[in-house]
Amino acid sequence: MTEIKVLSVCGSGTVSSAMVGERIIELLEEHGYEVEIQEVNPGMVKGAVANGDIDLVAFTSPIDPADAEGIPQINSVGLLTGLDEETFLDAALKALKEMGK
């Protein structure tokens, strides 16, 4: 399995990001990824990506794209609602493939 780290962002950095994170783990494990989730709120994004080990940012609350510049940022509201999960999955798999992961 390929190890990746995903930043899950919601308004408070707790409940929604945890729910979305669990779904991301389920979806990406089916495609051969071992996923570690870090949960944050939008104000914590810049600090969370500073060490350079985040592969993807999944967000349900708006974030400043400049806070995670160079890292794929994917809207994950569909994972929270259970509607249109395929859009997130397709974008995540495409981004990971482009990174060579």
Side-chain angles (χ1 to χ4, degrees):
M1 289 192 128
T2 302
E3 294 181 12
I4 62 167
K5 191 165 184 180
V6 177
L7 194 63
S8 183
V9 185
C10 75
S12 67
T14 53
V15 178
S16 295
S17 58
M19 291 172 55
V20 166
E22 287 302 314
R23 190 64 184 134
I24 291 169
I25 290 169
E26 292 170 7
L27 290 171
L28 292 179
E29 279 185 348
E30 293 175 8
H31 292 274
Y33 293 96
E34 183 175 330
V35 183
E36 180 183 337
I37 300 290
Q38 182 178 344
E39 301 157 5
V40 299
N41 66 41
M44 298 168 68
V45 171
K46 191 171 189 173
V49 303
N51 62 7
D53 67 347
I54 300 295
D55 295 297
L56 298 174
V57 176
F59 62 91
T60 59
S61 293
I63 62 172
D64 182 346
D67 286 349
E69 191 172 344
I71 301 170
Q73 302 168 33
I74 306 169
N75 186 319
S76 58
V77 172
L79 300 180
L80 186 60
T81 64
L83 303 172
D84 198 24
E85 291 182 339
E86 285 298 316
T87 298
F88 174 85
L89 181 59
D90 290 346
L93 292 174
K94 180 180 178 192
L96 291 167
K97 182 178 179 182
E98 288 173 357
M99 283 185 258
K101 294 194 173 207

